[in-house]
Amino acid sequence: MSTDTSDAPADDAPADDAPADDAPSRAELAARVDELEDALAEAEGEDGKKMSIIATKGTLDMAYPPLILASTAAAFGYEVTVFHTFWGLEILHEERSKNLKLSSVGNPNMPVPNAVAALPGMDRVTTKMMEKKIADNDTATIEELIETSLEMGVEFQACQMTIDLMDYDEDDFYDGVTTGVGAATALQDMADADIQLLV
Amino acid sequence: MSAEFDITETLDVKGASCPMPVVKTKTAIDDLAEGDVLEVLATDPGSMSDIDGWAAGTEGVELVDQEEGDDVYRHYVRKTA
């Protein structure tokens, strides 16, 4: 037994308060904590709520859900984009949106059998009936919902491919509608959104 | 009529149906100042649940009271921020 043994470990052991060579300094740690707190605040931020809707249908009945949800989400403080493609583009077409049709063919909830519903002029009849119900109930019109949504900051996007396909012009749409956008824009919006809907 | 708060402004959305009561309430609240109370008069029975849900899910507003009167639903919303 040697008296040296008790001293040997003490030579190698680091002092209690001395940092190891690769340990971050106190200042570095403080900076990292600040960084993480900022990122957390950003992630938790209520202001960043987003909704993305893809509107693909242009019949009178199917034009309502995207517009009602878009304006309501805007009222909740969501940043809303509605990407209109294929027949959904009719909703943004200023003239055609005021004349959207309802079909009774293939809808078993309609009071007329399909064989009758398929007769010429029947879509016009069922559309008139629906328009009267909308007016009698003080349900907002499509035009009102679009104008209101635009005022609330909803971004309506018109699919450029469909504009070209239908041979429409940029001027055909309501003022404030975004044109010149495609699927990649919609996908980016969906990826960023808290709520994504296909209507 | 409760006397616990003063009504700053009244919004009449009688006759309007979903989503207009909520949408117009939001627009009217935006024009008020912090602490103001908006009274909303609606005939849409869905407004009871909708304005409650909207107030709960929206920053800066608080539903103070709701009353079901004679065919008219009254909502009182305070702007808190």
Side-chain angles (χ1 to χ4, degrees):
Chain A
M1 203 186 283
S2 163
T3 51
D4 289 344
T5 50
S6 59
D7 293 330
D11 289 342
D12 295 337
D16 286 345
D17 54 351
D21 288 346
D22 58 346
S25 70
R26 183 176 288 267
E28 279 168 342
L29 281 172
R32 182 76 184 126
V33 166
D34 285 348
E35 213 174 275
L36 288 170
E37 277 177 350
D38 286 349
L40 184 66
E42 201 174 302
E44 286 177 339
E46 284 294 319
D47 294 333
K49 291 188 296 185
K50 290 180 181 171
M51 178 159 85
S52 165
I53 301 176
I54 312 297
T56 65
K57 303 280 195 288
T59 52
L60 183 57
D61 51 332
M62 291 306 281
Y64 274 94
L67 298 179
I68 289 174
L69 290 169
S71 54
T72 303
F76 272 77
Y78 279 75
E79 194 181 304
V80 185
T81 59
V82 191
F83 183 81
H84 293 250
T85 185
F86 278 82
W87 300 112
L89 201 55
E90 304 286 279
I91 302 168
L92 299 183
H93 193 286
E94 200 163 359
E95 283 307 309
R96 298 180 67 88
S97 69
K98 293 165 188 164
N99 203 19
L100 297 179
K101 300 285 195 295
L102 182 70
S103 176
S104 45
V105 176
N107 184 348
N109 296 309
M110 283 285 177
V112 283
N114 274 341
V116 176
L119 293 174
M122 277 306 291
D123 282 351
R124 208 164 57 84
V125 173
T126 50
T127 300
K128 287 291 164 211
M129 280 167 53
M130 191 67 185
E131 282 173 347
K132 185 175 184 313
K133 270 184 170 293
I134 287 167
D136 290 351
N137 274 296
D138 278 322
T139 299
T141 64
I142 295 300
E143 187 183 3
E144 276 177 278
L145 285 171
I146 288 182
E147 299 288 5
T148 303
S149 299
L150 282 168
E151 280 167 22
M152 299 184 80
V154 171
E155 184 180 352
F156 289 111
Q157 301 176 334
C159 167
Q160 190 60 43
M161 181 271 283
T162 317
I163 294 176
D164 298 340
L165 186 70
M166 304 287 194
D167 211 13
Y168 289 154
D169 191 87
E170 276 183 26
D171 299 335
D172 293 337
F173 303 109
Y174 285 90
D175 288 345
V177 168
T178 305
T179 55
V181 291
T185 306
L187 198 79
Q188 188 59 50
D189 284 336
M190 283 189 275
D192 288 345
D194 302 280
I195 302 175
Q196 305 92 351
L197 293 171
L198 173 73
V199 180
Chain B
M1 188 58 244
S2 169
E4 290 167 30
F5 49 88
D6 293 325
I7 297 163
T8 314
E9 205 160 299
T10 296
L11 172 72
D12 186 349
V13 288
K14 293 199 287 285
S17 58
C18 175
M20 287 309 181
V22 162
V23 165
K24 288 188 172 168
T25 297
K26 153 73 177 169
T27 312
I29 276 284
D30 283 348
D31 292 337
L32 296 184
E34 189 179 335
D36 288 353
V37 173
L38 177 73
E39 178 185 44
V40 183
L41 308 179
T43 48
D44 172 18
S47 66
M48 292 297 279
S49 170
D50 281 357
I51 289 182
D52 184 13
W54 167 77
T58 304
E59 294 283 303
V61 296
E62 172 197 10
L63 185 64
V64 185
D65 199 9
Q66 283 184 309
E67 292 171 12
E68 196 174 329
D70 303 332
D71 300 329
V72 177
Y73 301 90
R74 293 166 187 273
H75 314 271
Y76 300 93
V77 182
R78 180 182 284 125
K79 185 163 181 170
T80 57

